[in-house]
Amino acid sequence: AITMVSFGIFEKNILEKTAEAIFEEYKCPVNIRDGHLDLGEFYDSARRQYDGNALLKEVQSMSFHDSDKSLGIFNVDLFIPILTFIFGQAFLNGRTAIASIYRLSNERYGMEPDEELLTDRLKKEAIHELGHTFGLIHCRDPRCVMRSSTYVEDIDQKSQHLCSDCRAVYSSKIDRILDCSG
C-alpha cells in the first residue's frame, strides 16, 4: 500500500483525485493521512525556500507501518542545493517521495486559478515521484509521466501515465517491492 500524507491544508477533492490517479497507475491502494511538521525547521532564510532534501529525510523517518511507500504532499517552495526549485523529490528505489503544489498553481504565474489543472499537475507529479521509488528513472518519451519537468509547462505536456517501456520496468519489479493486495 501507499500512504499519501498531507502536510498542510488542501482541498479534500485534490487529495482524493490524486490518490485515485496513483491507484489507477500503480494498482496499489492509497491511504490518505494528515501529517504534522514544524516546517520552520526546514526553512532556509537565505533562499526563502524549504529544503527538499531535509523534508524528504524527515518524511522517510516517519513510521507508516501499513504502507510500503509514502508520499508527503506540501504547499511550500522546495529547493535542493543544485536547483533553483523543485516540484518534488524521491529516493530512487526507496520508500519515500515528496511533492509540493506551491509552483503548480496558475496563480503563481499571474494567471487565473484553475483547480482542475492544479489537480492534474499534482497527479502527474505524485505519480512521477513515486515512479522513482519504484526504480524508474527519467524517460525520454515526451508523453511519459517519468519525463523530467523543469517548468510547469513540461508537466502540462506529458500524460499522467507510464510509457510502455517504463511500464515494463515497473511490472518487472512490482512483485518484489510492493504488496498491493490491500
Side-chain angles (χ1 to χ4, degrees):
I2 298 168
T3 299
M4 187 168 69
V5 187
S6 64
F7 294 96
I9 298 173
F10 299 93
E11 293 288 329
K12 186 178 178 189
N13 197 27
I14 194 172
L15 296 175
E16 288 175 350
K17 286 182 177 181
T18 300
E20 195 175 289
I22 293 167
F23 174 77
E24 287 173 16
E25 196 59 27
Y26 294 118
K27 303 299 183 225
C28 293
V30 180
N31 306 308
I32 302 173
R33 293 189 176 171
D34 289 329
H36 304 283
L37 272 179
D38 176 5
L39 291 177
E41 295 176 38
F42 305 94
Y43 186 70
D44 183 315
S45 57
R47 289 184 68 139
R48 294 189 289 177
Q49 292 175 296
Y50 293 81
D51 185 334
N53 288 330
L55 278 170
L56 182 62
K57 288 176 187 167
E58 184 66 24
V59 173
Q60 181 184 33
S61 75
M62 297 177 169
S63 183
F64 304 107
H65 299 293
D66 59 344
S67 66
D68 299 289
K69 304 283 184 188
S70 57
L71 171 68
I73 304 291
F74 294 89
N75 189 9
V76 295
D77 195 11
L78 300 174
F79 79 93
I80 58 174
I82 62 167
L83 294 174
T84 307
F85 67 89
I86 57 173
F87 298 116
Q89 188 173 356
F91 287 117
L92 187 63
N93 289 310
R95 296 174 46 100
T96 312
I98 60 173
S100 177
I101 67 168
Y102 184 85
R103 289 184 181 260
L104 300 180
S105 68
N106 272 356
E107 300 92 306
R108 186 79 40 222
Y109 307 99
M111 297 163 54
E112 289 296 312
D114 185 334
E115 187 174 325
E116 188 176 332
L117 186 57
L118 174 64
T119 302
D120 189 52
R121 289 170 176 165
L122 181 60
K123 288 177 190 178
K124 293 174 186 178
E125 190 57 31
I127 291 166
H128 176 96
E129 295 305 338
L130 284 167
H132 288 314
T133 70
F134 293 122
L136 299 176
I137 59 173
H138 287 152
C139 181
R140 295 182 191 274
D141 184 331
R143 298 285 302 143
C144 181
V145 74
M146 291 310 298
R147 176 81 182 215
S148 179
S149 296
T150 304
Y151 304 103
V152 74
E153 294 86 356
D154 298 332
I155 298 171
D156 294 343
Q157 291 174 2
K158 63 186 178 181
S159 79
Q160 71 181 40
H161 302 290
L162 299 171
C163 68
S164 58
D165 291 345
C166 289
R167 168 73 49 211
V169 171
Y170 170 74
S171 296
S172 72
K173 294 181 176 194
I174 185 65
D175 293 333
R176 295 190 312 263
I177 57 175
L178 197 59
D179 174 16
C180 291
S181 58

